[in-house]
Amino acid sequence: DIQMTQSPSSLSASVGDRVTITCRASLTIAHYLNWYQQKPGKAPKLLIYTASTLQSGVPSRFSGSGSGTDFTLTISSLQPEDFGTYYCQQSFTTVRTFGQGTKVEIK
Amino acid sequence: EVQLLESGGGLVQPGGSLRLSCAASGFNFDTYAMSWVRQAPGKGLEWVSAISGSGLNTYFVDSVKGRFTVSRDNSKNTLYLQMNSLRVEDTAVYYCAKGVISHDFWGQGTLVTVSS
């Protein structure tokens, strides 16, 4: 199975900061990479699919980039409601795999 | 409005069985592949299984192959996950999710606890 590695595992940032989360695949996955946000006790929410396409209704401060093995999720100006854990997921192989998650806290 | 509602979770002993259901509404159920994703307490997300819209093609993570089966009844807009030979490590919240390339809608989850 393809392993997905996210960094950092956690971060603390201030409102208005630019935040970047990276995700690395153990094998090339083309552009088959999704990003999700999960808040405590809630189901995950799709933010970005196929590496860079913004899901309908998701604020434009979220963006995704990358292809092959290296991907990035960027929050251009962190807002108080952006706390939570962010996961990447590859959908290149029939067995999908998630990264271990990045916990984002607001200072 | 798309809605996914899981049910069937609960406490079961190791070696036991449980069937989860996911009732779908608000979209053409039979035209979409569906997936199951689980989350152990305090842990990350783990993709478990997927099934094509017709139900003819199914996929599983290695850790559940031979123990779990996935099916769907398109006449009832319902997805199922039959879990047999359950292990302590299967303890998790189980989510059903729409789609297989990406999951744009998720249910609220149902908790499965495997313990003696």
Side-chain angles (χ1 to χ4, degrees):
Chain A
D1 293 350
I2 294 179
Q3 308 303 315
M4 307 300 293
T5 303
Q6 290 181 232
S7 62
S9 296
S10 65
L11 66 91
S12 181
S14 299
V15 172
D17 283 354
R18 183 181 183 88
V19 169
T20 299
I21 298 169
T22 64
C23 179
R24 174 165 288 176
S26 60
L27 296 171
T28 183
I29 58 170
H31 58 279
Y32 291 96
L33 191 283
N34 308 312
W35 290 99
Y36 300 87
Q37 176 197 62
Q38 186 180 33
K39 296 190 176 182
K42 300 293 186 182
K45 172 186 174 183
L46 178 65
L47 300 175
I48 303 280
Y49 60 96
T50 55
S52 60
T53 306
L54 194 67
Q55 172 68 0
S56 175
V58 174
S60 59
R61 63 180 179 274
F62 291 93
S63 64
S65 64
S67 67
T69 60
D70 294 310
F71 301 86
T72 299
L73 173 70
T74 300
I75 308 173
S76 61
S77 178
L78 191 68
Q79 297 302 301
E81 61 268 30
D82 297 337
F83 74 93
T85 303
Y86 292 78
Y87 295 93
C88 62
Q89 179 205 27
Q90 66 82 15
S91 55
F92 184 73
T93 59
T94 53
V95 176
R96 314 314 198 194
T97 44
F98 289 90
Q100 81 280 12
T102 296
K103 186 174 184 178
V104 174
E105 296 180 331
I106 310 296
K107 279 183 184 175
Chain B
E1 179 192 6
V2 172
Q3 290 194 352
L4 298 170
L5 184 62
E6 302 96 336
S7 60
L11 175 63
V12 61
Q13 292 188 339
S17 298
L18 215 51
R19 188 178 83 156
L20 306 183
S21 300
C22 172
S25 61
F27 64 103
N28 293 327
F29 182 69
D30 58 0
T31 64
Y32 286 91
M34 297 291 293
S35 303
W36 289 98
V37 177
R38 68 184 178 183
Q39 187 168 36
K43 302 297 184 182
L45 301 171
E46 181 183 32
W47 180 91
V48 173
S49 179
I51 184 169
S52 60
S54 65
L56 293 178
N57 299 298
T58 60
Y59 311 92
F60 300 93
V61 68
D62 283 350
S63 60
V64 308
K65 278 182 183 175
R67 300 189 298 123
F68 290 12
T69 58
V70 61
S71 61
R72 62 193 296 160
D73 185 336
N74 287 341
S75 69
K76 296 182 178 178
N77 287 357
T78 302
L79 173 71
Y80 302 100
L81 184 68
Q82 177 67 43
M83 305 185 294
N84 299 329
S85 303
L86 281 161
R87 304 169 180 169
V88 170
E89 54 265 34
D90 294 320
T91 294
V93 173
Y94 284 74
Y95 296 99
C96 67
K98 175 175 168 280
V100 67
I101 299 295
S102 63
H103 312 304
D104 55 352
F105 289 95
W106 297 63
Q108 85 291 347
T110 187
L111 176 62
V112 173
T113 303
V114 185
S115 174
S116 55

